[in-house]
Amino acid sequence: TILNAVLQVLCQIACVCMLWYSLQTWSRFHFSHKAVMLGWVFSVMAPFLATLVPTRVFVDWTVLRPVTKAYANELSAHMGDQSEEMALKAM
């Protein structure tokens, strides 16, 4: 989704900025080390934050109702009438 992509891009940009800062402060180990660690945190955080947002929220499931109804009808034609009820319950 768009939100996941934007989150990942922002975290990757932050990671690159931290690594650039680390390169600029290479002679001062403490600052360089902290910047590298922060850049690593941003690169690890991007996929983690993307999984926190459930993508099911952004999907319109009502569009699939006719497809699942047709599937249930086909299932009942092959397996018997009781299977259609079971398939519709699963929706």
Side-chain angles (χ1 to χ4, degrees), residues 1-70:
T1 63
I2 299 285
L3 184 63
N4 288 345
V6 168
L7 240 137
Q8 287 186 357
V9 166
L10 288 176
C11 284
Q12 293 302 322
I13 288 172
C15 177
V16 168
C17 289
M18 287 295 106
L19 292 178
W20 179 256
Y21 176 75
S22 175
L23 184 64
Q24 298 302 316
T25 59
W26 188 255
S27 60
R28 294 176 287 176
F29 178 75
H30 180 70
F31 293 116
S32 178
H33 175 73
K34 281 198 178 263
V36 168
M37 285 296 140
L38 196 56
W40 177 80
V41 165
F42 277 120
S43 68
V44 169
M45 190 171 43
F48 176 72
L49 289 177
T51 59
L52 288 180
V53 178
T55 55
R56 293 182 190 177
V57 174
F58 302 112
V59 176
D60 182 20
W61 294 102
T62 59
V63 177
L64 294 177
R65 290 278 182 211
V67 174
T68 53
K69 179 70 175 159

